[in-house]
Structures are given as structure tokens and as C-alpha cells.
Amino acid sequence: MPLKSMPLEEPAINLTSMLDVVLLLILYFLFATQFIQEEQQYDIQLPTVPDAVALTGQPDEIVVNVEESGLIVVRSEQKSLTELQALLELAREKFPGQAVVVRGDGRVPYQKVMDVMSIVRRAGIRNLSLANRPNPAGS
């Protein structure tokens, strides 16, 4: 006895809920643009402030290199101790938490590195680090 089979239904995607979401998003963006236009329609003269500071975070640390010959190099520029102090004081005024890294050559006299560290402290910078390289031999 042969079995009767029902014709299979074709699979269909119900797009009703997706269309609802798309229409809601369109309405949201329409209303949002209306609020922006209303905010921009007022012609106001904003006040000016002479001592405004940047709203950015802290800058990168200033790297002070002390070469073997005793030369002090900051940002590829040779500096004297007085120029270094002026640069660091200006950086501290702009960013009170300014960090400084002193990189002294391993063959430089210790006095040169101490002079640079003294200038950093005299400039009022408290965040001071000495750069070094780990010994691969581990001794």
C-alpha cells in the first residue's frame, strides 16, 4: 500500500523582527540629528582662558643620554647642564608628573651621571629612572 506524502514546505526566513530593528534605528538616528542641529543653532561667543592646559595624558618620559665623552644628548640635540635644566623645568611646569630616564654609557665617569641626576632633581622632577641592560650571563 503506497504511503501518501505531503509536499514539503519551502524554508523561509522571517524578516519581520529584523525590519522592526532597522526601522527603530532609523528613527533613533533621525531624532539624534535633530538634537544636534538644535544645539548648533545658538550663536554664542565662548569665553577664552589664557592659562588653558592640554587635556591629554602624560607625555612620554624624557630620555637624557650621557655619552662616553660626557656629552649630554636629549632628543638628538646636544645640551649643556643649564640648557638641560631649563628644558626639564619647562617640562615640569607643563606636566607636573613628568618622567625622566637617564641613560649613561657604561664607560662614562660616574660624576657625569651624578651631575645630570642633580640637574633633574634641581628642576623639580621626582620621577627619575636610570636605564640599564640585563646581563645575559646572569652573573
Side-chain angles (χ1 to χ4, degrees), residues 87-104:
L87 174 77
L88 295 177
E89 286 174 350
L90 180 64
R92 183 188 47 82
E93 287 175 9
K94 289 182 180 177
F95 302 101
Q98 178 67 56
V100 174
V101 176
V102 177
R103 293 177 51 202

Side-chain angles (χ1 to χ4, degrees), residues 49-59 91 93-96:
V49 180
D51 56 349
V53 294
L55 296 177
T56 61
Q58 292 289 347
E93 287 175 9
K94 289 182 180 177
F95 302 101

Side-chain angles (χ1 to χ4, degrees), residues 15-91:
L15 298 176
T16 306
S17 59
M18 187 169 67
L19 288 174
D20 287 345
V21 170
V22 169
L23 288 174
L24 285 174
L25 285 173
I26 289 173
L27 287 175
Y28 170 77
F29 287 122
L30 284 174
F31 288 127
T33 56
Q34 291 298 324
F35 290 135
I36 290 172
Q37 288 175 359
E38 286 177 14
E39 184 179 322
Q40 292 176 351
Q41 76 182 358
Y42 299 112
D43 187 25
I44 30 180
Q45 189 68 25
L46 294 176
T48 59
V49 180
D51 56 349
V53 294
L55 296 177
T56 61
Q58 292 289 347
D60 293 337
E61 64 267 345
I62 296 174
V63 179
V64 180
N65 296 305
V66 183
E67 295 180 356
E68 182 182 4
S69 61
L71 293 176
I72 300 169
V73 180
V74 179
R75 298 180 185 138
S76 303
E77 296 178 4
Q78 183 178 342
K79 302 279 185 188
S80 67
L81 289 176
T82 55
E83 291 172 338
L84 177 64
Q85 184 172 353
L87 174 77
L88 295 177
E89 286 174 350
L90 180 64

Side-chain angles (χ1 to χ4, degrees), residues 83-138:
E83 291 172 338
L84 177 64
Q85 184 172 353
L87 174 77
L88 295 177
E89 286 174 350
L90 180 64
R92 183 188 47 82
E93 287 175 9
K94 289 182 180 177
F95 302 101
Q98 178 67 56
V100 174
V101 176
V102 177
R103 293 177 51 202
D105 191 297
R107 300 166 296 224
V108 72
Y110 189 59
Q111 183 62 46
K112 298 289 186 182
V113 175
M114 290 306 295
D115 290 341
V116 170
M117 290 175 61
S118 174
I119 291 295
V120 171
R121 290 291 179 192
R122 209 177 305 154
I125 294 179
R126 301 287 174 235
N127 193 353
L128 172 66
S129 303
L130 292 174
N132 61 13
R133 189 175 59 199
N135 189 355

